[in-house]
Amino acid sequence: MSPVFPMLTVLSMFYYMCLRRRARTATRGEMNSRRAIESNTRALPINVEIVQYAKEVLDFSSHYGSENSMSYTMWNLAGIPNVYPSSGDFTQTAVFRTYGTWWDRCPSARLPFKRTPPTFCSQDYVELAFEEPVYPTAVHILETYHPGAVVRILACSANPYSQNPPAEVRWEILWSEAPTKVNGLQARQFTPCIKQINFPTNLIRLEVNSSLLDYYTELDAVVLHGVKERPVLSLKTSMIDMNDIDEDEDEEKYGCGMDTLNKQFSIVTLREWPTNGYFDKLPYELIQLILSHLTVPDLCRLAQTCKLLYQHCCDPLQYIHLSLQPYWARINDTSLEYLQSRCTLIQWLNLSWTGNRGAISVSGFSRFLKVCGSELVRLELSCGHFLNETCLEVITEMCPNLQELNLSSCDKIPPQAFNHIAKVGSLKRLILYRTKVEQTALLSILNFCSELQHLSLGSCVMIEDYDLIASMMGAKCKKLRSLDLWRCKNITENGIAELASGCQLLEELDLGWCPTLQSSTGCFTNLARKLPNLQKLFLTANRSVCDTDIEELAANCTRLRQLDILGTRMVSPASLRKLLESCKDLSLLDVSFCSQIDNRVVLELNANFPNVFIKKSFTQ
């Protein structure tokens, strides 16, 4: 055979691999409409494109709005646009709870998990259902204020309207990109170039990261374009960019399918080597230190190379802190079973976002904690919709050393289940944001968990009397440092007085959107005088906040770092100057919609106090 033929074979194989690569991936970034049309014309056969807005919002991790309203809630993403193409701050849009890095700079901030892969930067998510399953050709996201938060778009194989649940739920990443700073606040239609997938979908998930934004991002609608028949990629493709042949191939190989990660966890046949090379000469501790920098999938892959590295990679000391949130789409009962033998010493465990749509069962979760829960100190279960009363009972029985429990947005847990939390007397942090915890259960928790330092009760709408809750906190929770009462509907000056008298170590207090608090009762003045250690105070949307309150803060709370008085009509520029002169560490001041603080005043304050981020929002 001529030597030319092997070379042609190799070149043909390389060309074929490039075509497969081009078919499965897409250039990252935003493309214009002309690019989208050109991309769609390559698909054969030609199908009629279906264009549809989201029919329903199925799930989300947080929102700025109330559970009993439509203003600033994720539910505004269903249906046609309400605001677009207008720009500005509008209540008819979908807004997540946080923005920027301010929440990472306050007393309630939590330490990050190590080994989080750099490609995972999502902070929040929302899942949208559409009427018709299609093979996606484009996704349009209508952003009306502070755009640029969306970092990942995924499609799911499960049809939320089907009567027959699939044997396996598969998620595929259509597009992803690191957070970017977008210049300008104008509304835009964000249309990234998405990857073709091999299954139809009517379930789209957006993941966002708002850390680079100067204010809350606002989304108005999501439009899904697609065809009913699977497109066949035409061979008339453009020149292949060699930059596309990169390490992302591993990302596809170990994609969002459940079995791919489980295969890495499972025990495989290891090759016998006469020597382990230089690894035999390294101290055990040094190899452990080197491996501690690997992500979980990389650790599992390395374990398949030889017996020595398998021993190191399966050492429970490598799994003291374990975050499975970045792999939420791949974690199921089998994954937890494979990890059991490696997690016998685990202290921090993050299962946030995992287990939904039947991926993790109550029995699978219980088996894992019975083996691995004895040393747990921190347990993150945000948006874990598989959790029920049995799960909370198992947590309290199997995790006697637990100090931190995050049940944020676990809205499927029945109210009576929260009574079990009172058995964990060692708790120092408890996050119950957007849960169905009731008053009786919460009073029991406060009575028996006197070590609490951080408590989040934001948007807990089933609590009938917050004054009674505040009174119990003042009597029992003397060590409380941060308290989130965001959108608490019925606390009054009486509850604030009990809280301020009993919890004088408070450094962070969120009373945003608490309409029953009135400055005329002296409640805010009382706070300022009784809580000199305050570093963060949110009085968002309380129109009664006045100059007297600001001046009391300036006189008594000189350690203040973050203050939100959005919406007040009674604060003057003079009192703000006193505050800024007194509170030298102040870094965030939100005066959006404060009628006496116009743009001219903000510019003047910014010039005189350049180290303070002074936010003034607007509506067009």
Side-chain angles (χ1 to χ4, degrees):
M1 178 183 290
S2 169
V4 175
F5 289 103
M7 181 61 69
L8 289 176
T9 303
V10 171
L11 290 175
S12 300
M13 291 178 63
F14 177 73
Y15 183 64
Y16 172 71
M17 291 170 60
C18 291
L19 288 180
R20 286 183 69 239
R21 175 72 179 171
R22 175 61 66 182
R24 291 185 300 178
T25 61
T27 304
R28 297 187 175 187
E30 185 178 3
M31 68 172 187
N32 55 36
S33 58
R34 178 180 177 185
R35 177 89 174 272
I37 294 172
E38 292 174 351
S39 175
N40 291 337
T41 58
R42 298 184 189 130
L44 298 174
I46 298 176
N47 292 319
V48 176
E49 189 172 60
I50 298 173
V51 179
Q52 48 187 333
Y53 291 95
K55 178 181 179 180
E56 185 181 358
V57 177
L58 297 179
D59 189 22
F60 55 90
S61 55
S62 77
H63 60 185
Y64 186 88
S66 165
E67 301 303 295
N68 301 320
S69 170
M70 288 294 291
S71 298
Y72 295 123
T73 64
M74 288 298 118
W75 298 305
N76 285 317
L77 281 175
I80 62 175
N82 298 308
V83 173
Y84 186 85
S86 298
S87 302
D89 189 345
F90 291 91
T91 62
Q92 303 96 322
T93 58
V95 184
F96 292 98
R97 175 77 192 273
T98 63
Y99 74 93
T101 58
W102 308 109
W103 277 257
D104 297 326
R105 302 189 211 169
C106 55
S108 64
R110 287 164 287 169
L111 293 173
F113 277 78
K114 297 179 180 179
R115 281 187 163 146
T116 300
T119 55
F120 181 80
C121 56
S122 304
Q123 297 174 332
D124 277 295
Y125 74 86
V126 58
E127 293 181 0
L128 305 169
F130 296 80
E131 184 71 35
E132 294 288 335
V134 294
Y135 292 92
T137 56
V139 177
H140 302 319
I141 304 169
L142 306 184
E143 303 172 286
T144 55
Y145 198 41
H146 287 274
V150 178
V151 293
R152 198 154 73 150
I153 305 173
L154 301 97
C156 185
S157 62
N159 184 342
Y161 302 121
S162 173
Q163 299 298 321
N164 302 314
E168 179 189 19
V169 177
R170 180 182 173 193
W171 287 91
E172 191 77 32
I173 298 174
L174 299 180
W175 170 87
S176 66
E177 189 174 82
T180 55
K181 180 81 170 181
V182 176
N183 294 323
L185 308 179
Q186 296 303 309
R188 70 169 185 173
Q189 175 179 287
F190 179 54
T191 308
C193 185
I194 63 173
K195 181 177 71 173
Q196 286 190 2
I197 57 176
N198 60 7
F199 58 82
T201 184
N202 61 339
L203 175 51
I204 296 294
R205 175 178 172 123
L206 307 182
E207 294 183 357
V208 304
N209 181 312
S210 304
S211 62
L212 298 183
L213 301 187
D214 292 333
Y215 208 57
Y216 300 95
T217 190
E218 298 190 8
L219 309 179
D220 192 16
V222 177
V223 191
L224 174 62
H225 292 239
V227 293
K228 297 292 289 184
E229 300 295 329
R230 182 180 178 184
V232 178
L233 193 70
S234 169
L235 292 178
K236 293 178 64 179
T237 58
S238 60
M239 183 177 294
I240 294 170
D241 186 351
M242 291 303 294
N243 291 328
D244 285 346
I245 312 300
D246 57 18
E247 294 178 357
D248 284 348
E249 192 70 27
D250 288 337
E251 183 179 336
E252 294 176 4
K253 182 178 179 181
Y254 303 100
C256 289
M258 294 289 192
D259 56 344
T260 54
L261 192 64
N262 293 336
K263 287 176 182 177
Q264 295 170 44
F265 287 145
S266 62
I267 299 175
V268 296
T269 303
L270 301 173
R271 295 182 62 181
E272 292 286 353
W273 296 96
T275 175
N276 293 305
Y278 288 106
F279 282 106
D280 282 330
K281 302 180 183 298
L282 294 178
Y284 192 93
E285 295 79 6
L286 182 56
I287 299 177
Q288 286 284 294
L289 178 62
I290 294 171
L291 299 188
S292 68
H293 295 278
L294 296 180
T295 63
V296 175
D298 288 339
L299 205 61
C300 296
R301 294 169 199 163
L302 187 63
Q304 301 175 20
T305 56
C306 68
K307 286 188 175 181
L308 176 66
L309 290 179
Y310 176 84
Q311 179 185 356
H312 280 281
C313 292
C314 295
D315 191 321
L317 292 175
Q318 288 289 338
Y319 299 85
I320 299 294
H321 294 179
L322 176 62
S323 176
L324 296 176
Q325 183 181 5
Y327 320 106
W328 61 264
R330 305 183 240 169
I331 300 301
N332 59 13
D333 282 349
T334 307
S335 310
L336 296 182
E337 184 178 351
Y338 284 142
L339 284 168
Q340 277 185 21
S341 62
R342 308 181 189 190
C343 295
T344 53
L345 300 178
I346 190 169
Q347 297 177 7
W348 288 15
L349 175 61
N350 186 359
L351 286 173
S352 295
W353 301 5
T354 66
N356 298 332
R357 296 186 173 83
I360 294 179
S361 65
V362 172
S363 58
F365 176 76
S366 301
R367 285 194 303 270
F368 183 81
L369 278 195
K370 286 176 182 178
V371 175
C372 308
S374 62
E375 302 297 324
L376 266 182
V377 174
R378 176 179 175 183
L379 182 57
E380 305 280 342
L381 295 169
S382 173
C383 304
H385 300 314
F386 66 91
L387 295 171
N388 62 8
E389 183 171 3
T390 300
C391 294
L392 290 195
E393 187 174 5
V394 170
I395 290 171
T396 57
E397 290 178 357
M398 297 296 132
C399 307
N401 299 307
L402 197 63
Q403 296 181 12
E404 300 187 22
L405 179 60
N406 180 4
L407 298 175
S408 171
S409 292
C410 293
D411 53 2
K412 301 296 190 295
I413 301 176
Q416 70 276 5
F418 293 93
N419 283 294
H420 294 287
I421 298 177
K423 303 173 189 176
V424 190
S426 57
L427 273 182
K428 294 183 178 180
R429 183 189 302 270
L430 180 60
I431 302 176
L432 298 176
Y433 167 72
R434 289 191 67 239
T435 62
K436 295 177 180 176
V437 62
E438 287 184 333
Q439 185 164 300
T440 304
L442 185 54
L443 288 172
S444 180
I445 293 170
L446 296 174
N447 187 43
F448 291 102
C449 300
S450 57
E451 297 296 314
L452 275 173
Q453 297 180 17
H454 305 282
L455 178 62
S456 173
L457 300 174
S459 293
C460 291
V461 298
M462 300 187 71
I463 297 173
E464 300 167 356
D465 187 354
Y466 267 100
D467 280 349
L468 182 58
I469 297 298
S471 176
M472 181 65 82
M473 290 180 197
K476 296 290 185 177
C477 302
K478 302 293 186 179
K479 299 180 181 180
L480 206 60
R481 292 180 53 215
S482 72
L483 177 61
D484 179 7
L485 295 177
W486 174 262
R487 293 191 179 274
C488 152
K489 293 296 183 183
N490 52 42
I491 193 168
T492 69
E493 66 276 7
N494 298 324
I496 292 297
E498 295 280 356
L499 185 67
S501 297
C503 302
Q504 296 190 1
L505 297 180
L506 270 174
E507 299 173 342
E508 176 179 343
L509 182 59
D510 193 333
L511 296 172
W513 296 88
C514 295
T516 50
L517 293 177
Q518 294 297 316
S519 174
S520 58
T521 64
C523 58
F524 301 135
T525 299
N526 191 25
L527 276 179
R529 293 174 179 175
K530 295 280 184 67
L531 303 177
N533 296 316
L534 274 180
Q535 297 180 31
K536 173 182 174 179
L537 178 62
F538 274 27
L539 302 175
T540 317
N542 192 305
R543 299 183 185 279
S544 69
V545 175
C546 63
D547 282 346
T548 301
D549 303 318
I550 301 301
E551 290 168 4
E552 287 289 345
L553 288 172
N556 298 287
C557 302
T558 56
R559 298 178 60 193
L560 199 63
R561 295 175 180 268
Q562 300 180 28
L563 178 64
D564 186 342
I565 53 171
L566 174 148
T568 182
R569 300 171 178 173
M570 304 173 68
V571 171
S572 68
S575 64
L576 288 184
R577 291 189 189 96
K578 291 181 181 178
L579 179 78
L580 291 166
E581 289 169 356
S582 176
C583 301
K584 303 297 184 181
D585 295 327
L586 196 68
S587 57
L588 171 64
L589 177 61
D590 194 336
V591 293
S592 299
F593 304 110
C594 294
S595 55
Q596 294 191 45
I597 313 300
D598 57 24
N599 288 333
R600 179 187 58 79
V601 173
V602 172
L603 289 174
E604 177 196 333
L605 294 176
N606 273 326
N608 294 327
F609 304 95
N611 294 328
V612 184
F613 179 77
I614 303 175
K615 179 58 188 175
K616 176 73 174 176
S617 186
F618 73 98
T619 301
Q620 288 185 348

